[in-house]
Amino acid sequence: MRSIDHLFENSSRSLARRTSRRSLLATLGKLLTGAALIPLLPVDRSARAEAAEPATHPPKSPVKGAAHAATDDPLSCEYWKYCAVDGFLCSCCGGSSNSCPPGTAPSPITWIGTCHNPSDDRDYIVSYNDCCGKASCGNCECNRNEREKPMYRPSRNNDLNWCMANADSNYHCSVSVILGVAEK
C-alpha cells in the first residue's frame, strides 16, 4: 500500500513543481466549461427525419373518396394541415383548427411547416401557434414531425414551449394557420 501512496505523492509533487495553482484552476475551468457545452453541439437527426417522411404512394382504399377522409377532418391527427404539429389539437379543446379556445391566447412566436393538401395537390406554408393561458387540454394529442429541423433551427422545430413569450406560459393546445401557397 505504501508504494501507491509514494506514487501519488511523487506525481502530485511533480505536478506542483511544473504548474501554478492559477494555471491548474484555469485548466479545470476550461474542462468544466467544455463539458457543459457538449449538449449544445448540433446533432444529426436525419434518420429520424427520414422515418417521419410520408409514404410516396398512399394506400389504396376500397371505398372511393375514403383515402382523403381522415386528411379533411380537423379532429383527426391525419388532417393535412397538421403535418408538423406537436401537442393537443385545439379543434378538440373548444377551439378550431385555426383559432384558440375561449380563455386562451395565441403565442406571438410560432414554428412553421410546409404541408401538402391532397385535395388540390398544392403545398401550403402553415404557421403553428400554441394557445396559452390554461392547463393542458389533454384531448387529441398529435405529434407529427414531417420536415422538422434540429433545435439549432428553432423556427422549424416543434419541441419548444412557444408559450414562454406569453404572460401566462401554461400550454393548452395548438392551432395551424395557413400563411400562403408555397412557391416551387
Side-chain angles (χ1 to χ4, degrees):
M1 197 56 124
R2 290 193 94 187
S3 62
I4 293 175
D5 289 339
H6 286 291
L7 176 68
F8 279 107
E9 180 182 353
N10 289 339
S11 62
S12 297
R13 288 182 186 274
S14 174
L15 180 66
R17 274 187 233 113
R18 287 182 282 135
T19 61
S20 67
R21 283 180 282 203
R22 283 187 180 170
S23 68
L24 183 67
L25 289 175
T27 304
L28 184 62
K30 288 177 189 176
L31 289 172
L32 290 175
T33 302
L37 293 176
I38 287 176
L40 299 177
L41 293 174
V43 177
D44 180 19
R45 294 190 177 125
S46 58
R48 180 178 163 191
E50 289 172 9
E53 287 292 323
T56 54
H57 301 294
K60 295 188 179 188
S61 175
V63 179
K64 187 176 182 181
H68 297 292
T71 59
D72 290 333
D73 180 14
L75 298 175
S76 169
C77 187
E78 299 303 315
Y79 187 39
W80 70 270
K81 283 194 332 182
Y82 299 152
C83 72
V85 75
D86 182 7
F88 302 111
L89 303 178
C90 284
S91 55
C92 297
C93 301
S96 68
S97 69
N98 60 355
S99 65
C100 291
T104 64
S107 175
I109 53 176
T110 67
W111 72 97
I112 58 170
T114 305
C115 299
H116 182 75
N117 184 351
S119 298
D120 63 3
D121 202 33
R122 295 170 83 182
D123 291 332
Y124 290 89
I125 300 170
V126 181
S127 172
Y128 296 95
N129 298 63
D130 284 346
C131 296
C132 315
K134 289 182 176 180
S136 290
C137 168
N139 294 328
C140 299
E141 183 176 7
C142 185
N143 185 12
R144 293 178 59 188
N145 298 312
E146 295 173 26
R147 301 182 190 125
E148 178 185 26
K149 297 293 181 197
M151 277 299 215
Y152 54 85
R153 293 277 310 268
S155 66
R156 299 285 310 269
N157 190 284
N158 63 10
D159 294 329
L160 296 173
N161 178 7
W162 294 98
C163 289
M164 62 190 157
N166 286 35
D168 187 350
S169 63
N170 285 328
Y171 167 77
H172 185 65
C173 59
S174 299
V175 295
S176 60
V177 179
I178 295 175
L179 297 178
V181 178
E183 301 280 328
K184 290 192 180 191

